[in-house]
Amino acid sequence: MDVLLAEMAKAVSIFGLAWFSFWPAIPAGLALGLHPLAVILITSSSYISGILLFVLPSQSVRQWAMNRFGKNLDNATSDDRFIMRLWNRYGVIGFGLIAPMTTGAQIGTIIGIALNIPRRKLILWMSIGVIMWAVGLTLLAVAGVSLVSST
């Protein structure tokens, strides 16, 4: 029973960390001794829950985002211009694949809603993006650990 509680505590901790910051959650999960597949599933589900939290009430979120950011898209900062160039060049697919590593789930979803990306496409492509990044980063971390431990 104690082992189960310890594993649940690890999973909940990594879920919470990934919800706020995706990058450190993967190495933290591996450092806590979670199986790499569990790390991928936990971090991906955490990120996707952040997307859903903002997409489901999207009309009110869209109104807030447009009031807050819509007028400033022409006077965007360099980071915002990067997102706008990405959006103009690659559309929802490019946005969904890069947002997990640049803006995070919540901010990326708000930007996607402000860009008027259809909800299903936003959920789909951001989810694909996060799963892709979670698998890639987990594999890199596992390979790095095995490389260091073999020397």
Side-chain angles (χ1 to χ4, degrees):
M1 187 67 173
D2 291 337
V3 173
L4 180 62
L5 287 175
E7 293 301 310
M8 290 296 292
K10 292 176 188 178
V12 169
S13 297
I14 296 307
F15 186 92
L17 179 59
W19 204 87
F20 288 105
S21 185
F22 183 72
W23 280 81
I26 290 171
L30 294 172
L32 287 174
L34 291 173
H35 189 277
L37 184 57
V39 171
I40 291 168
L41 292 173
I42 293 166
T43 56
S44 296
S45 62
S46 174
Y47 193 94
I48 292 168
S49 71
I51 296 168
L52 294 174
L53 180 71
F54 286 92
V55 167
L56 294 179
S58 66
Q59 192 56 34
S60 58
V61 172
R62 176 170 166 56
Q63 186 61 44
W64 174 83
M66 290 307 291
N67 289 340
R68 176 76 171 95
F69 302 109
K71 298 173 186 133
N72 298 326
L73 290 178
D74 292 331
N75 301 324
T77 65
S78 62
D79 291 339
D80 296 332
R81 283 192 290 254
F82 169 74
I83 296 296
M84 292 308 296
R85 280 196 317 269
L86 178 74
W87 170 249
N88 290 331
R89 187 166 191 168
Y90 300 107
V92 66
I93 295 171
F95 179 81
L97 295 179
I98 199 70
M101 297 313 290
T102 56
T103 62
Q106 298 84 1
I107 302 297
T109 303
I110 290 171
I111 293 170
I113 291 168
L115 291 171
N116 210 19
I117 298 174
R119 293 190 317 176
R120 287 184 182 177
K121 286 184 178 183
L122 183 63
I123 293 168
L124 173 70
W125 287 106
M126 286 187 69
S127 298
I128 289 172
V130 76
I131 292 167
M132 178 190 78
W133 282 106
V135 168
L137 289 174
T138 303
L139 290 175
L140 283 173
V142 168
V145 167
S146 67
L147 181 66
V148 168
S149 65
S150 69
T151 57

